[in-house]
Amino acid sequence: ILLTQIVVILIMAGLFRRLFRGIGQPPVMGEMIAGIVLGPSVLGWLYPPALSLLFPASSLETLRQLSQIGVVLFMFIVGTELNIRLLREKGTAAVMISHASIIVPFLLGTTLSLFLYRELAPVGTSFNAFALFIGVAMSITAFPVLARILEDRNLSQTTLGSIAITCAAVDDVTAWCILALVIAIVKSTGILSSAVTIGLTLVFAGTMIFLVRPQLARLIKDPDSQQHRRRLIPIILAFVFVCALITETIGIHALFGAFVAGVVMPPSTEFRIFLKDKLEAFGSYALLPLFFAFTGLRMHVGLLNDWQGWLMCGVIILVAIAGKLGGSMLMSRWTGMSWSRSFSIGVLMNTRGLVELVVLNIGYDLGILSGRIFAMMVLMALVTTFMTGPLLSLVKAKETQ
């Protein structure tokens, strides 16, 4: 069953990746849609026996565990792409924009949760946990997807691209730290337990940045041969999984450890590119589609079976856009940028993509999100990512007129 599932998922992901590249959308969007097509929202609706035959309930735990390995590798790659030197070099504008793009959607998200909690929160979930998680989910920017959009449009080396990448990087770090804090609060049994978890997380992060990072730089000097580089891959993989295991044991999430492991990798450009190519080929193209399929199996659009459900979904999407795009755009304008550039920054920061799905799955696993709001938030992630390309094209068309 597992082998059949992998074959079907990879074929569907490849087809949708090519289709979405053809219409000017990030290929990862195609993979996300392919996952939903294979789930109860499409396949289960069109032909339920096929869904139960291909994805029997007894097989889903194995698929989930395999997909989690893919997400751990993905978060490591996201960490390696984070340029700390760039964060230091850029002025206060990028920091101000990135923090506005977190604070505004976070406040709007937590305010919105006042109205969503009674209808959509699972039984037994505290309001604080629900509100904090909705706030974090609204604040996410998909750093990897944004970077690929900029590359596809030849904007990486422009001022706009440089500011957007820096803002997204600061956003990424801040959002994952807030998420770690929220998970610590949710998983803890009391204030003392929560404080211990947060303290251990800070100790782990500090140890990794100030002790492990310099040691890694000495141990992994830029390898001078392909053979040497290949020998380092199993060592680095073991290091990534140890970091993931530590943060899982601490009580936050394995993904946080994998992300930090990527951040502390030596800054050697050539070796990072080599490592990214090798791991991305397997992690992103072989294992991540399994994660999308698993997310699609969890998401059931049929749960939005009345006009109130679709109305709430529409409100969530509008609040997400207003907070992220609006907050980033207004702060960009306040720092002295033109309206068109400010709007472009807001559009790019509004890209949520795959990272949002990772966060939503964490919320679902922790029991903070019900199936109904999980479907709404996944739709929000898809809409906000899908609109990035067309809106950037619209701005470019306006500027050339």
Side-chain angles (χ1 to χ4, degrees):
I1 284 289
L2 180 63
L3 294 176
T4 307
Q5 289 170 347
I6 291 170
V7 169
V8 171
I9 291 166
L10 292 182
I11 289 171
M12 286 292 288
L15 289 173
F16 276 82
R17 195 163 51 232
R18 182 172 292 184
L19 173 65
F20 273 68
R21 188 183 283 116
I23 61 172
Q25 286 289 337
V28 71
M29 273 293 294
E31 294 180 347
M32 289 161 71
I33 297 295
I36 292 168
V37 168
L38 288 171
S41 300
V42 179
L43 182 61
W45 175 64
L46 292 172
Y47 192 54
L51 181 66
S52 57
L53 178 70
L54 186 58
F55 297 104
S58 58
S59 70
L60 295 186
E61 182 57 24
T62 308
L63 185 65
R64 185 190 75 82
Q65 290 176 353
L66 197 55
S67 72
Q68 286 300 304
I69 294 172
V71 182
V72 165
L73 292 177
F74 167 75
M75 289 311 301
F76 172 68
I77 293 165
V78 171
T80 62
E81 289 181 338
L82 189 67
N83 190 335
I84 294 176
R85 192 177 298 147
L86 187 69
L87 303 189
R88 293 196 194 113
E89 289 171 0
K90 291 296 171 185
T92 54
V95 176
M96 288 170 70
I97 295 164
S98 62
H99 282 87
S101 77
I102 285 182
I103 293 166
V104 176
F106 185 87
L107 291 175
L108 288 178
T110 49
T111 305
L112 181 64
S113 63
L114 288 166
F115 305 96
L116 301 178
Y117 177 71
R118 186 173 294 177
E119 287 285 326
L120 298 172
V123 178
T125 301
S126 70
F127 173 74
N128 288 342
F130 183 78
L132 287 171
F133 195 87
I134 295 294
V136 172
M138 291 287 188
S139 309
I140 295 295
T141 292
F143 178 79
V145 178
L146 184 145
R148 279 155 185 74
I149 290 172
L150 291 172
E151 281 177 23
D152 291 343
R153 293 174 174 267
N154 298 317
L155 293 172
S156 298
Q157 304 305 317
T158 63
T159 308
L160 171 66
S162 181
I163 292 169
I165 283 287
T166 310
C167 290
V170 176
D171 195 306
D172 236 22
V173 174
T174 310
W176 278 98
C177 289
I178 296 170
L179 182 63
L181 181 68
V182 172
I183 294 169
I185 293 168
V186 170
K187 281 191 172 183
S188 65
T189 52
I191 295 173
L192 182 62
S193 175
S194 177
V196 169
T197 303
I198 293 165
L200 288 173
T201 305
L202 292 173
V203 169
F204 169 75
T207 304
M208 290 289 286
I209 292 166
F210 298 111
L211 295 179
V212 176
R213 195 162 188 260
Q215 294 302 321
L216 276 176
R218 290 193 194 96
L219 288 171
I220 309 175
K221 293 174 182 174
D222 202 10
D224 53 2
S225 70
Q226 286 284 100
Q227 193 175 9
H228 186 194
R229 288 175 181 177
R230 288 196 186 103
R231 283 178 190 152
L232 286 173
I233 287 179
I235 297 168
I236 290 164
L237 280 175
F239 170 67
V240 173
F241 289 124
V242 164
C243 292
L245 177 62
I246 290 169
T247 51
E248 185 70 34
T249 308
I250 285 171
I252 41 174
H253 202 281
L255 300 184
F256 187 75
F259 176 74
V260 175
V263 171
V264 301
M265 286 303 294
S268 164
T269 308
E270 280 186 30
F271 184 62
R272 279 196 181 209
I273 291 169
F274 170 81
L275 198 59
K276 183 190 165 191
D277 287 345
K278 296 298 178 188
L279 295 184
E280 198 169 42
F282 179 65
S284 296
Y285 291 100
L287 293 179
L288 264 188
L290 307 186
F291 170 74
F292 293 128
F294 186 73
T295 303
L297 290 166
R298 283 180 159 181
M299 180 193 172
H300 198 340
V301 176
L303 292 173
L304 310 185
N305 53 5
D306 52 24
W307 67 268
Q308 292 99 331
W310 285 105
L311 179 64
M312 283 189 280
C313 184
V315 169
I316 286 171
I317 292 170
L318 287 175
V319 169
I321 295 169
K324 200 73 176 170
L325 195 157
S328 307
M329 180 179 72
L330 292 175
M331 182 54 77
S332 300
R333 179 62 181 159
W334 194 66
T335 59
M337 296 183 196
S338 65
W339 276 114
S340 63
R341 177 164 287 181
S342 300
F343 182 71
S344 297
I345 291 285
V347 168
L348 288 164
M349 294 302 288
N350 192 45
T351 306
R352 285 175 174 85
L354 168 57
V355 180
E356 179 75 14
L357 294 192
V358 173
V359 171
L360 294 178
N361 273 278
I362 292 172
Y364 193 93
D365 288 335
L366 291 173
I368 301 171
L369 301 181
S370 64
R372 196 167 156 87
I373 193 169
F374 180 76
M376 293 176 185
M377 297 296 282
V378 169
L379 285 173
M380 178 272 286
L382 293 173
V383 170
T384 53
T385 307
F386 193 86
M387 64 192 286
T388 303
L391 287 178
L392 285 176
S393 298
L394 183 67
V395 172
K396 190 175 181 181
K398 290 270 186 186
E399 287 177 345
T400 54
Q401 284 178 357

